[in-house]
Amino acid sequence: MKVSPDLTNDSRAKRRVSILGATGSIGCNTLDLVRNQSDLFTIEALTGNKNVDLLISQAKEFNPKLAVIGDDALFGELKDGLSGTDIAAASGQTALLEAADVDSDIVIAGIVGVAGLAPTLKAAQRGAIVALANKECLVCAGDFFLDEIERSGATLLPIDSEHNAIFQVFDFEQSENVDHLTLTASGGPFRNASLTEMSAVTPEQAVAHPNWDMGAKISVDSATMMNKGLELIEAFYLFPVEEKQIEILIHPQSVIHSMVSYKDGSVLAQLGTPDMRTPISYALAWPDRMETPGRQLDLAQIGKLTFEAPDLERFPALTLARDTLKAGGSLPTILNAANEVAVRCFLEERIGFLDITRVTADVLDRTPNSEPNTLDEICHCDEAARVLAEEMVSALI
Ligand code: NAD
Ligand code: MG
C-alpha cells in the first residue's frame, strides 16, 4: 500500500479546494474551516444533490468557478440563483465529473455512497490530493481505486476520523513493526439495547447518534455498526496490514479515535473531541496543521474513558463485513450496495431496523462471488446487488 505520505505541493501558497458533497455534513464542516481561515484557502468547485438553496448560498459566499447540482430538475433554480455572478452552474452526472476535474489542489470526497465513486475517481485520475470521507468508494472498488491513485500519482488522505487517527500515528517507514490496528467505535445509539428493543426502533431514533452529528446514511450505519464494518474494509485498503490485524473496540466516549499497536508493546493513539473538523483540517493543511474552531479536549472533565468488546450477536453487521473482506472478490461491492438499499428502505419506513443487516446478508448469500476487474464490472455487480436487495425488501413487506 497504500496511503501516500508525500506531497509535492507548495504548502505556503493558498490551497485551492473543491468539495464534492458540499451541502452535506462533511461539506459544511469543510466550509466552516475555510470560512475561519480564508487567507489559507480558495474554493474552486462545489457540488450538491438536492439542496439547491444551500448550494446557492454556499456558492455566493465562497465564489467557486463551478457549482453543480446532481439533480437535473434543479438546474434552472441553480442557474437563476447564481445569475449576476461569475459562477458557472451545471447539473447531472457528467457535470459532477467536471466539478471533480476543475483544477484544484485538494478535493474533499464528501458525497455519500457509491454515487461518489465516479467523481472521486475523476479527482484521483487527475492527480489531485484526495481527502477521502466517502468510505463506500473504497469498500466498493478498493483495489481499482488504489490502482488509479498509484497510476496518476495522486495523494490519498483519509478523513474518516478513525483512519485519520491511524494515519497520524502509523509509521509507514517500518510497517513491519506494526502488530495491529484498533478501530474504536462509539457503539451507536443502541449499544445497550436488546434485540427486541432494536426491532422496534424508528428512523428518527436511529439517526440520533450520541456523539457525532452526521448525515442520515452514516448515522444508520453507526446504529447497525455496519459503519464499523465498512471502516474495517476501508482500513484494510488504506494501511499495509492484513484483515486479522484490524481489531474493533467499543469506546463510548469517542475520545480515542483509533490506535496503532507496535510489536514493541507501544500503543500510539490520536485523541480529540468528536469533531470532524479536526480530521478534515489535518487533510486541508497537510503536511502542516492548522487551527480549528473546535473545543480542546478536557480529559479531567470527561473523567473516565471506558472500553468493551463489541457484541457480535446484536451487531451481526460486524461479522458480515469481516467475512466479506476475508472472501474478497465482488463481495465487498455487494455488501455495500445491498446495505445502501436496505438503509434507504429503512429510512423510508419500508423495513424494520434489524431487517437492514438481514437483507444485506440475504443478498450476499444469494450472489455468487466473482472477480470484477474493471469499473464497468464493479458497477455491474453493484447494480445487480441493488436489484436483488429491492426484491428482498419487497418480499419482506
Ligand atoms: P450527508 O448525507 O450529510 O451529505 C452527503 C452529500 O452527498 C450531500 O452534499 C449530498 O447532496 C451529496 N449526495 C448525496 N447523494 C448524491 C448523489 N446521488 N449524487 C451526487 N451527490 C450526492 O453525508 P455525510 O455525513 O456528509 O457523509 C458523506 C460521506 O462521508 C459518507 O461516505 C460518510 O460515510 C463519510 N463520513 C462522514 C462523516 C460525518 O461526520 N458526517 C464521518 C466520516 C465519514
Ligand atoms: Mg468513522
Side-chain angles (χ1 to χ4, degrees), residues 120-152:
T120 306
L121 264 175
K122 192 74 183 176
Q125 283 160 345
R126 73 171 170 82
I129 304 168
V130 177
L132 190 74
N134 179 284
K135 67 196 81 182
E136 294 94 339
C137 86
L138 259 191
V139 173
C140 166
D143 286 326
F144 182 83
F145 186 80
L146 291 177
D147 283 351
E148 291 299 297
I149 293 272
E150 190 144 334
R151 205 181 46 74
S152 66

Side-chain angles (χ1 to χ4, degrees), residues 184-188 191 209-212 249-257 271-275 295 297-299 301-308:
T184 53
S186 69
R191 179 170 61 89
H209 195 278
N211 303 344
W212 298 92
L249 179 69
I250 305 290
H251 166 46
Q253 296 80 18
S254 299
V255 165
I256 299 179
H257 296 310
L271 285 70
T273 53
D275 185 334
R295 273 183 303 117
L297 182 62
D298 182 347
L299 283 173
Q301 198 218 335
I302 293 165
K304 200 157 47 168
L305 299 181
T306 59
F307 307 92
E308 59 200 69

